[in-house]
Amino acid sequence: STLASTAGGELFRQAGSQDAAALEAVRELGMQEQWLIQPHELRPFEDKVLGIGGFGIVLVGEFCSSPVAIKRTKEGSSSSAHETVSALNELRIMRHICHPNIVIFYGACLDADQDHLSLVLERVKGQKLGSFISRLEQGGPTRPSTRGRSAS
C-alpha cells in the first residue's frame, strides 16, 4: 500500500512534512499503541556504529537493559523531508509486523530536543546481509556459521 492509502498513512505522511500537529498526533498514537519510547529510556552508544544507511545511522544501544539496534535519522536541519518520510514509513509498517524472520520492533523514540526519530529494533548477531549475498553469488554456503538468534 502507498503511504497515504489509510488514515494512519496520511497521518504519517503529514508528520513527514514536518507538520507539528501531525508529529504530535503520531506521538499520541505511539502512546495509545504502546510503542512510544521516551528518550531517557534509551541508551545509545554513539561510538558503536553498526552501519550508515539511506536515512541515517544504526547504533548499538540498550533499552530496558537489553541490547538493541537503534536506527536513527540524521539530526538537525541537514535531515531532508525524504529521509524523515522514509523513517516514518518504516515505523508505520514495523509497528504491525511480528514474524520470526524479521527483527523485533521494540518501539520508536520521537526526540524533539535532538530533532530525530529513532527506531528501536532487536539486535541480531550474525553475518551482514551484504556478506551473505556475496557468498551466495560466489556459490558459497548460504547458511551462516551461527544458528538461531542471539542478541549481542
Side-chain angles (χ1 to χ4, degrees), residues 27-28 30-31 35-44 62-64 107-112 118 120:
R27 183 176 275 107
E28 288 175 17
M31 287 189 290
W35 53 256
L36 185 66
I37 295 172
Q38 299 302 320
H40 69 273
E41 298 176 298
L42 197 55
R43 189 170 150 214
E62 280 187 358
F63 173 60
C64 296
C109 180
L110 302 168
D111 191 342
S118 298
V120 182

Side-chain angles (χ1 to χ4, degrees), residues 64-136:
C64 296
S65 300
S66 295
V68 294
I70 301 170
K71 194 171 186 180
R72 185 166 70 191
T73 58
K74 296 174 185 166
E75 296 178 18
S77 60
S78 64
S79 180
S80 74
H82 175 71
E83 293 162 344
T84 303
V85 169
S86 294
L88 285 166
N89 192 41
E90 187 167 345
L91 168 58
R92 180 183 67 88
I93 294 166
M94 290 296 291
R95 68 190 229 277
H96 293 294
I97 294 176
C98 181
H99 189 279
N101 294 335
I102 298 176
V103 295
I104 297 168
F105 169 74
Y106 291 117
C109 180
L110 302 168
D111 191 342
D113 294 337
Q114 297 294 321
D115 193 24
H116 64 235
L117 163 67
S118 298
L119 302 179
V120 182
L121 308 166
E122 170 188 26
R123 179 153 182 231
V124 179
K125 191 178 212 177
Q127 68 183 15
K128 294 183 179 184
L129 181 59
S131 299
F132 174 82
I133 291 170
S134 292
R135 291 176 96 179
L136 186 63

